[in-house]
Amino acid sequence: MIIDVHGHLSAPAELYAYKAGLLSHRGAHGRGKPSMTDDQLREALYAPQSSFGNISHMDHLNEAGIDVQLISPRPYQAMHSEQPAFIVDWFTEETNDIIHRVSQIEPRFKGMAGIPQSMDTTPEHWMKEVRRTVEQLGFVGVMLNPDPYEGLKQPPSLADRFWYPVWEALSELDVPALIHSAAARPPARESYSLHFIQEETLAVDALIRSKVFDDFPDLKIIVSHGGGAIPYQRGRYLPGAVRSGVRFEDQLRKLYYDSCLYTSDSIELLLKAVGTDRVLFGSEKPGTGSAKDPETGRWFDDIKLLIDDIEWLSEKQRSALFEDNARTLFTL
Amino acid sequence: MIIDVHGHLSAPAELYAYKAGLLSHRGAHGRGKPSMTDDQLREALYAPQSSFGNISHMDHLNEAGIDVQLISPRPYQAMHSEQPAFIVDWFTEETNDIIHRVSQIEPRFKGMAGIPQSMDTTPEHWMKEVRRTVEQLGFVGVMLNPDPYEGLKQPPSLADRFWYPVWEALSELDVPALIHSAAARPPARESYSLHFIQEETLAVDALIRSKVFDDFPDLKIIVSHGGGAIPYQRGRYLPGAVRSGVRFEDQLRKLYYDSCLYTSDSIELLLKAVGTDRVLFGSEKPGTGSAKDPETGRWFDDIKLLIDDIEWLSEKQRSALFEDNARTLFTL
Amino acid sequence: MIIDVHGHLSAPAELYAYKAGLLSHRGAHGRGKPSMTDDQLREALYAPQSSFGNISHMDHLNEAGIDVQLISPRPYQAMHSEQPAFIVDWFTEETNDIIHRVSQIEPRFKGMAGIPQSMDTTPEHWMKEVRRTVEQLGFVGVMLNPDPYEGLKQPPSLADRFWYPVWEALSELDVPALIHSAAARPPARESYSLHFIQEETLAVDALIRSKVFDDFPDLKIIVSHGGGAIPYQRGRYLPGAVRSGVRFEDQLRKLYYDSCLYTSDSIELLLKAVGTDRVLFGSEKPGTGSAKDPETGRWFDDIKLLIDDIEWLSEKQRSALFEDNARTLFTL
Amino acid sequence: MIIDVHGHLSAPAELYAYKAGLLSHRGAHGRGKPSMTDDQLREALYAPQSSFGNISHMDHLNEAGIDVQLISPRPYQAMHSEQPAFIVDWFTEETNDIIHRVSQIEPRFKGMAGIPQSMDTTPEHWMKEVRRTVEQLGFVGVMLNPDPYEGLKQPPSLADRFWYPVWEALSELDVPALIHSAAARPPARESYSLHFIQEETLAVDALIRSKVFDDFPDLKIIVSHGGGAIPYQRGRYLPGAVRSGVRFEDQLRKLYYDSCLYTSDSIELLLKAVGTDRVLFGSEKPGTGSAKDPETGRWFDDIKLLIDDIEWLSEKQRSALFEDNARTLFTL
Amino acid sequence: MIIDVHGHLSAPAELYAYKAGLLSHRGAHGRGKPSMTDDQLREALYAPQSSFGNISHMDHLNEAGIDVQLISPRPYQAMHSEQPAFIVDWFTEETNDIIHRVSQIEPRFKGMAGIPQSMDTTPEHWMKEVRRTVEQLGFVGVMLNPDPYEGLKQPPSLADRFWYPVWEALSELDVPALIHSAAARPPARESYSLHFIQEETLAVDALIRSKVFDDFPDLKIIVSHGGGAIPYQRGRYLPGAVRSGVRFEDQLRKLYYDSCLYTSDSIELLLKAVGTDRVLFGSEKPGTGSAKDPETGRWFDDIKLLIDDIEWLSEKQRSALFEDNARTLFTL
Amino acid sequence: MIIDVHGHLSAPAELYAYKAGLLSHRGAHGRGKPSMTDDQLREALYAPQSSFGNISHMDHLNEAGIDVQLISPRPYQAMHSEQPAFIVDWFTEETNDIIHRVSQIEPRFKGMAGIPQSMDTTPEHWMKEVRRTVEQLGFVGVMLNPDPYEGLKQPPSLADRFWYPVWEALSELDVPALIHSAAARPPARESYSLHFIQEETLAVDALIRSKVFDDFPDLKIIVSHGGGAIPYQRGRYLPGAVRSGVRFEDQLRKLYYDSCLYTSDSIELLLKAVGTDRVLFGSEKPGTGSAKDPETGRWFDDIKLLIDDIEWLSEKQRSALFEDNARTLFTL
């Protein structure tokens, strides 16, 4: 059985037309609602789409053998840095509601909540939507953006006390957070996709050097895309760790990482760096990786095949990666 | 026969989902294209829509007796202030292309071009799209936003030489411009809809006190929504005009105005203030005014009925308002 | 009898030389005082002045049949945006004191207080001067500037809780406020005179859509110059009002408006839009309108004649406009 | 005979009321003109004024034995940092015109031109008014403000090439400049009066270490108020001068200084520091110093008496200070 | 006996290499420590240095007959405006520790504490280091920078309540503060050395016009370099003081001044302006003045010789200047 | 034989004390010179240092078998973002001069030039120092900082034409550039060390997607620390590359990478991702990695041992990594 902790909602155009409207009238039309029928929702899941490589979302899951997928909003659409703040609330709540409808239509999906992370409101305010989705809609986790300014300016580091209300609520609700940034607006030099990586690098660096896990020992944080640059660059930290008397591997192992890397050698490096008990299967399918490798005929984002290629993994380790680690972390 | 100079495109959700995508990936996905079939375009015109009062765009035209409608992009969706500038280019060009397709599907429509007015490019650059739409797509005019910053900060006044490349191109192409602002983003205090009025007030004030018409005697400018506040407040200008030896009415009559006001007394005041030869029939239908008055059963935006209510108009004047003034100004 | 609720102080040059001094030494000379004798004050009232069309302030009142005039400081001189804040206090207080002296010299005048609206102090602080003028000097109302930044940047909307201390004090003192902005400094594109109109438009829009009158049911607000653009553009609000189940006319009628428009058709439109019981006679005489119409020989700001021209008004309505509405609103 | 190179215009209140108007309407009333009769101008010169210690400007000159006074605008009123730039032009030109009228009424006065130093125009533009006053109105010099931002932000140092168009025009016209700053607006911590001193300190420091006098050997610069802090603090420069092989006294002597210090020991220190041939009689009378010392009965600004107190001065040196140095520098 | 209240630490290069490191890694290397042996500290005191005129710090003291010198950090190295704030703490504390070590090596030195004046922390925080140095290390006073922004922007004036926690702590600890600014970063127009003078001028002006000494009657403030420009320019204050009924000399005498001026006439002017009981011997030796005058063979900063040159001083006055005033002010 | 392309200067404290001075006086002391004897330079190379793990720079080279080391300035000390710009020029030039002296003392070293990358000057200006070091001092390459703002704000991307003068000069001089950022100042969230990685990630991303190598086919760029995150995250690029018809590996192979990663698996991943002909031996020795692994007894930065551990490398490939690739790229 495979549990994929890193999937995103596939929704009809109406959701994004609704968003475009909010960004244009900035609330002057009132909240409204992205109207779509269950049939439209089904079509978004079951119909082939060109951006998915001409198969459907469900086809992707079937082909890759994914039995359960935790889905959150499309990150680059999150619009956390837009104003006024209430349109961020509206869009996030509507998106979470659609995730909920989708998970009722197709029980293979479980909800990971988007959070309305406007910097004009407070983390305490953000947590209201987290509580609603977990307590009322049965969501199993959240997706957390470490850069709600979306590249416009520097946010507080994840080590900063600014984030403590988030850690507190997540600990209390006992749901994991998947660290995943959103858009990257000018003047950022990088695309949103590379911004994900940069922010994951910063997130790992900030969290493992902070006191967050001393203060919130039950907090569960998963870093997307295999932890950004850190596992590959972890050698830079080793001398400093020796000097301060800690094992850097133990530092890294405070966090969890998903396997969402599209080369086998990178996944292997990750597993060696953090241990097989700290990696969760994540494919972001369908998404960035949804093209076929012309040489192998494989989907680039068929992570299972990449893991299968790693010969030294035991069955138990494979089972941990595909299912058990997720079951330990999440209430599924 | 009625020619409506002030209508906007009714397009499928896919156009705005495309826009939402641009605003999220900021170009990282490449330009792409809002894919939609002719059937989808037709549905957006011929199917009833709740936001139009549960009838279709074409029903509106039919009920109001509008024979020809000049359509431009939905102004509040223009996103002129978004960055990077090339996404403004892309979205404007795609929207103009859809206007062109719509006008081929339904010849009752003529195109009024959206202009990619990013302040990170130049008016000279903007005019390339104007030339393309007029020369290649047969558009009959343009819609010009006097505030491309969309409320974020103060733009140059329309009296400023900044705008001369626009006046020059419009004069050369011999197409009128409909002054119509777009969104109003924070920190603006007003909604986009009131921003229209404020910007029209500023536009009339700036243009009639400028040398623009001395320098561009053939320029044709139509101000939306009956000229903002100016006709109603024109008394404030009379003493100054007397002192400087001009007739203020002559100043006002350098410009044209549309009739897009939803009360008969306001239209009447406009006609008295600027003359019946300076007002063009404009309804913005379907749009802001598309609800039914529960007392009269009329559509608020059925401007024809409001004009019919003005008893003192001669047949010739009515004909001028409904058709002849537009024929004089535009090449239809 | 005619009560004019919208007049401004005519003062000797020394008052403005005093202001120029404050703006130059920024307080380094100490507060000082604009020294002027009662004779100088009288001369400013009784002597013809070129900027008034070569007759005196009192001549204007006599010719127009104005029996009582409520006078406030010259708005464009208010200097609310100047720093440090204490020079705004000083100049406002000195001006109010001169209004008081003038109203003792010539009892036809009643005081409307200027308010020291520096954004570096608080609305609570502003209200001290309001209390002083009402409680100690017998002023009957205040003039309130909705844009104390004077065009430099966006102030909080009148719907914002920022203004609640003002509404609270005015309710408690039971004095009306005349909404009237002051200067318009660069980067504003408009002159101060057009800024008045723009700010009045924003003020009506903000207040009628806010909860201010729910929270302060006894608050009395008069909007200058016939409410900016709103009565003329009120048609835009009708469909939305229908949708939300309110009559827009009732919304508009939460406020009062003065008649300070210099064309008869505009005053007539105002009366139709808001009702004759919501309009107060206001002339701003002598001021912007103080020139003679070469065609009619009338003073442009002889508002009484313009009202006389409206044939359908009953005697009772005329009396309401000229006197009774003001008596209801003010304690005179 | 005494020539006072540092006096300022005494003008009627109407001039400053005119300025207050410009600062309020920001040009919306047009340029207008500060209207005042020759009698009003005479009264400003010949009538006692409380701010002058209850005697008149002319009384001051008579009592102090001043035969010729070079008068410039009141510096703190210069408003160089106000916007838009054209109101700086207008006010400066009107002030210079009044200086011209005053010097025709009372030939004891010679004009020193104010310069319209808005930072939104260019030094080249400023020099137009300098040419007009010197070539057409017979002015004998100019007053130059080294800080046209008036404390709002840091201007270019006088050593910067920004100022070269000024040096070039002054050299060509062969008129001296009196360095004298204007207002000091927040966030400056100092009053305008102390700002004078700070700017003079900066001016001497910048000019003597620059290449300005290499590039403009005929340039004549007089620093007000005895050179700010530099003569008193000149010891700080001596070691560095030794190291670079120059005599610091020679550096200081590139400039001229006025005697406008109100203690005898300070004037004496100045004379020793720069030499009696580099100091010009300046009193700024009537002005800051126009009060009587209760102990001595002297006017504080009776600089002549302070110089008389310096015993070691020869008759020739006294004559240089009182008259000859000014005659050498100016064309009188 | 001579007590010099104005000396600065002479330290090995390692201290400044440590600082350069902090400014480069911004704390990433951790606090570390500038490692230097007592021998290195001794060499910095006893070995000739080219920047001191090729003799040693101790030689300077010996040649000038200085028996005790109060030493503080080199002011221009203070780096108060650098970020993050903790590197300002670290560097200041390390420097104070080295001053302490130096004063143990060579008892002729007494410590004047540097204060970690980052504007990102609070004056309350700054005072912790003051308490440590005074209470634990036996320091006898502090050096206070009135411009912790180091020229980047305007700080609060010394008259502002911002500084009250400083005055309170100094009063309680009963230690004097030497006012002395630090660096002058762009956009400041002046060098740090001239910035000292400008800030001293501002400090005297602000303090004598404030209520600080009313609120802290036991506060002891010494202004470096003879009080900036104020004694030389004190005439400007006399008329105002007369008007407000105070003697300006009494105002000036609320403060103390050091004699650190390198010309005899300036010191003489200072003594006359403030009285011999308000001036303390200060040489800043070795430092800015440490060059030999080629004409006299004297060190420019041999202040004792300059005081010896003032003939009218009595023995008692000389003793006050050289020793007694310092003994009264400090606990030595 | 081993050629290490990534080493940095080990210099005496005096160099950094010189830098601290520049940052304090900002040029007021003049340029001066960091004075140090050849013996001091030798001590910095041959004496054990605690920050190097208690052995010397030369010991490190000897123990690791490094025969030639290309040394550039210590990157985090570069101070590119400091003002005024001329102190960046001064410090960079002095540092390059010391590198030159060091390479004459110890011929095992070759110079890689620091570049005075102040954003207040131009890339054209920067290149003067590059020409001087290459043409006059025999340097073999340069170190280029892609973020001269050092984290203060976003610089132009390396794909921007801003950098073309750099590429042009490097192509003409035929010297490689080692991409290596410098400090990371607040508000950056990361340490300078992590900033290196983030900037390398951005650099690879920008350059391989740009037209730089089309326009400068002979340009040679080496990215430090194994290319930041990109080799590890390269899977993200594969689907897009397929869509655009290029092989991503070919894109990556436009650049060169050093081996400066401190874990064997990371180096192995790098070699697989870009090929053994695109990786150069680089150790940054002594530096970040200069501590001993308590488990293995190895120096973390003994990169040779890590490469030795990769079993599948052929002798030829090893020779390429250790020596031949560097010889191909550089003129040694």
Side-chain angles (χ1 to χ4, degrees), chain C residues 13-14 16-21 23-26 28-29 76-79 82-84 183-186 191-193, chain D residues 13-14 16-21 23-26 28-29 76-79 82-84 183-186 191-193:
Chain C
E14 277 72 12
Y16 302 109
Y18 172 74
K19 172 183 161 181
L23 292 179
S24 297
H25 63 71
R26 302 276 163 187
H29 289 189
Y76 78 105
Q77 294 268 14
M79 74 177 226
E82 296 286 350
Q83 290 176 304
R185 298 173 63 175
S191 70
Y192 74 86
S193 177
Chain D
E14 276 72 12
Y16 303 108
Y18 171 74
K19 173 183 161 181
L23 292 180
S24 297
H25 62 70
R26 301 275 162 188
H29 289 188
Y76 78 105
Q77 294 268 15
M79 72 177 227
E82 297 286 352
Q83 292 177 303
R185 298 174 63 175
S191 69
Y192 75 86
S193 178

Side-chain angles (χ1 to χ4, degrees), chain B residues 187-206:
Chain B
R189 285 168 286 166
E190 68 266 31
S191 70
Y192 74 85
S193 177
L194 191 58
H195 196 59
F196 296 168
I197 304 308
Q198 301 286 80
E199 288 297 322
E200 289 149 13
T201 300
L202 290 171
V204 176
D205 177 76

Side-chain angles (χ1 to χ4, degrees), chain C residues 187-204:
Chain C
R189 285 168 286 165
E190 69 266 30
S191 70
Y192 74 86
S193 177
L194 192 58
H195 196 59
F196 295 167
I197 304 309
Q198 300 286 80
E199 288 296 322
E200 288 148 14
T201 300
L202 290 172
V204 175

